[in-house]
mmCIF file of all heavy atoms in Angstrom:
data_model
loop_
_atom_site.group_PDB
_atom_site.id
_atom_site.type_symbol
_atom_site.label_atom_id
_atom_site.label_comp_id
_atom_site.label_asym_id
_atom_site.label_seq_id
_atom_site.Cartn_x
_atom_site.Cartn_y
_atom_site.Cartn_z
ATOM 1 N N GLY A 226 -1.721 12.003 9.643
ATOM 2 C CA GLY A 226 -1.595 13.208 8.822
ATOM 3 C C GLY A 226 -1.639 14.514 9.581
ATOM 4 O O GLY A 226 -1.701 15.577 8.982
ATOM 5 N N LYS A 229 2.721 14.507 13.099
ATOM 6 C CA LYS A 229 3.536 13.950 14.183
ATOM 7 C C LYS A 229 4.972 13.747 13.720
ATOM 8 O O LYS A 229 5.917 14.160 14.401
ATOM 9 C CB LYS A 229 2.942 12.616 14.650
ATOM 10 C CG LYS A 229 1.530 12.755 15.201
ATOM 11 C CD LYS A 229 0.972 11.441 15.693
ATOM 12 C CE LYS A 229 0.730 10.451 14.577
ATOM 13 N NZ LYS A 229 -0.290 10.904 13.608
ATOM 14 N N THR A 230 5.134 13.132 12.565
ATOM 15 C CA THR A 230 6.479 12.915 12.038
ATOM 16 C C THR A 230 7.179 14.249 11.806
ATOM 17 O O THR A 230 8.346 14.438 12.153
ATOM 18 C CB THR A 230 6.400 12.131 10.722
ATOM 19 O OG1 THR A 230 5.599 10.972 10.928
ATOM 20 C CG2 THR A 230 7.757 11.708 10.249
ATOM 21 N N LEU A 231 6.416 15.170 11.242
ATOM 22 C CA LEU A 231 6.959 16.495 10.952
ATOM 23 C C LEU A 231 7.442 17.166 12.232
ATOM 24 O O LEU A 231 8.524 17.756 12.286
ATOM 25 C CB LEU A 231 5.861 17.321 10.290
ATOM 26 C CG LEU A 231 6.231 18.665 9.714
ATOM 27 C CD1 LEU A 231 7.064 18.466 8.472
ATOM 28 C CD2 LEU A 231 4.990 19.464 9.386
ATOM 29 N N PHE A 280 13.480 8.519 16.649
ATOM 30 C CA PHE A 280 12.051 8.648 16.364
ATOM 31 C C PHE A 280 11.501 7.294 15.953
ATOM 32 O O PHE A 280 11.955 6.693 14.988
ATOM 33 C CB PHE A 280 11.817 9.676 15.268
ATOM 34 C CG PHE A 280 10.369 9.814 14.891
ATOM 35 C CD1 PHE A 280 9.429 10.228 15.825
ATOM 36 C CD2 PHE A 280 9.926 9.504 13.616
ATOM 37 C CE1 PHE A 280 8.091 10.342 15.502
ATOM 38 C CE2 PHE A 280 8.586 9.618 13.275
ATOM 39 C CZ PHE A 280 7.677 10.044 14.219
ATOM 40 N N ASP A 282 8.270 5.630 14.598
ATOM 41 C CA ASP A 282 6.952 5.888 14.031
ATOM 42 C C ASP A 282 6.088 4.642 14.223
ATOM 43 O O ASP A 282 6.613 3.535 14.310
ATOM 44 C CB ASP A 282 7.108 6.192 12.535
ATOM 45 C CG ASP A 282 6.059 7.177 12.072
ATOM 46 O OD1 ASP A 282 5.118 7.425 12.840
ATOM 47 O OD2 ASP A 282 6.183 7.687 10.957
ATOM 48 N N GLU A 283 4.789 4.813 14.273
ATOM 49 C CA GLU A 283 3.853 3.686 14.413
ATOM 50 C C GLU A 283 4.285 2.772 15.556
ATOM 51 O O GLU A 283 4.485 1.582 15.370
ATOM 52 C CB GLU A 283 3.756 2.851 13.125
ATOM 53 C CG GLU A 283 3.821 3.639 11.832
ATOM 54 C CD GLU A 283 2.573 4.446 11.575
ATOM 55 O OE1 GLU A 283 1.575 4.237 12.289
ATOM 56 O OE2 GLU A 283 2.609 5.308 10.688
ATOM 57 N N ALA A 329 5.483 7.929 17.867
ATOM 58 C CA ALA A 329 4.189 8.404 17.391
ATOM 59 C C ALA A 329 3.234 7.237 17.236
ATOM 60 O O ALA A 329 3.649 6.130 16.884
ATOM 61 C CB ALA A 329 4.351 9.113 16.048
HETATM 62 MG MG1 MG B 2 3.847 9.796 10.463
#
Side-chain angles (χ1 to χ4, degrees):
K229 299 182 293 297
T230 309
L231 189 71
F280 178 61
D282 212 348
E283 323 288 349

